[in-house]
Amino acid sequence: MKLLKVLGTKPWLHDTEAGGVAAYAGPDNEAAARIALRFVLAIVGVLFFLFIITFLSRSQYPDFEALAGAPWQPFTDPTRLWFNTSLLFMASVAMQWGLGGTRQGKLNVAVTGISAAVFFTLMFIVAQMDLWLHLQSMGYYITSNPANSYFYVLTAIHALHLIGGLVILSNVVFRVWYDNKLESLAAPLQLCTTYWHFLFGVWLVLFALLSSRPETINALAAMCGF
């Protein structure tokens, strides 16, 4: 019976048992937003997980050629990838910094943090596009090798999720600017910060996978039963 009571709980609603109907303050929008974010992150996580599984499966075909390992392969020296990673890391740090400023009521810190996060995120996307051009200049086109195709597709999908985050973040900032209430920014900015940290974690996984040597990829594929 206790399990049924727990399953019937609606965390997006305030607890009305203690105060009765008169104390009911309406739906808890912040809890609902947190649940919605977890749902979105779960979907995005599953999407990338499925792509990774298909990547490992496809890697066992003879026409698959990893992008690292041999001296002439582009990611044997992953300096460009590390540089791009540092940009996205700075974006996550800036988001966290802006969130801290919002919680402390420091408008200048919040604005600086959010502006820096947007700047570094845009720089990351531009750097990724520059990396695409660099690969194409070396002859690594999207259709010339399955590993190339996965690199372009995975990085493009990741960048699209970042662009979607920027759109939501701009909407949040505009609403706060319109309402002129800094304290109302803390909750939505917390959600955006969590989203940025999540996408940074996803990128680290993609970075490790796409720059792996054939031996590592084969070992991972064997662990998955391919």
Side-chain angles (χ1 to χ4, degrees):
M1 296 302 292
K2 185 177 180 180
L3 176 61
L4 294 177
K5 183 179 179 180
V6 173
L7 292 175
T9 303
K10 299 178 179 178
W12 57 88
L13 299 178
H14 292 295
D15 185 9
T16 58
E17 292 182 357
V21 178
Y24 178 65
D28 188 341
N29 294 327
E30 293 184 11
R34 287 195 297 271
I35 293 174
L37 176 64
R38 291 170 187 167
F39 184 71
V40 170
L41 296 185
I43 293 176
V44 175
V46 169
L47 174 67
F48 280 103
F49 174 76
L50 293 177
F51 267 112
I52 291 172
I53 292 298
T54 60
F55 174 91
L56 294 174
S57 174
R58 190 67 179 83
S59 69
Q60 299 308 294
Y61 286 75
D63 62 338
F64 186 94
E65 188 175 351
L67 296 175
W72 58 85
Q73 299 288 49
F75 295 154
T76 300
D77 178 13
T79 303
R80 280 176 169 264
L81 291 174
W82 278 117
F83 175 74
N84 296 359
T85 302
S86 67
L87 292 174
L88 193 56
F89 172 73
M90 292 301 297
S92 285
V93 171
M95 286 290 289
Q96 191 67 43
W97 186 38
L99 176 62
T102 304
R103 288 172 173 170
Q104 298 170 9
K106 298 179 179 177
L107 178 61
N108 57 337
V109 175
V111 171
T112 304
I114 295 173
S115 301
V118 172
F119 171 77
F120 283 116
T121 302
L122 291 175
M123 287 295 295
F124 172 79
I125 295 173
V126 171
Q128 291 287 74
M129 294 176 65
D130 183 65
L131 182 57
W132 292 356
L133 296 176
H134 176 68
L135 289 178
Q136 291 181 9
S137 68
M138 297 174 65
Y140 288 86
Y141 300 104
I142 188 170
T143 57
S144 56
N145 172 22
N148 301 359
S149 305
Y150 273 99
F151 173 79
Y152 286 110
V153 170
L154 287 172
T155 52
I157 294 175
H158 184 262
L160 286 175
H161 281 87
L162 281 173
I163 293 173
L166 288 174
V167 172
I168 295 174
L169 179 62
S170 63
N171 180 55
V172 169
V173 173
F174 175 77
R175 279 193 311 172
V176 174
W177 174 76
Y178 185 78
D179 295 338
N180 197 25
K181 294 179 180 177
L182 180 61
E183 58 273 15
S184 63
L185 180 61
L189 189 58
Q190 171 65 71
L191 301 178
C192 290
T193 303
T194 302
Y195 185 75
W196 249 257
H197 294 341
F198 175 79
L199 287 182
F200 177 64
V202 169
W203 168 247
L204 290 180
V205 174
L206 296 180
F207 178 10
L209 181 70
L210 295 170
S211 61
S212 293
R213 295 173 178 272
E215 298 82 7
T216 304
I217 295 175
N218 291 336
L220 292 173
M223 292 172 61
C224 294
F226 299 121

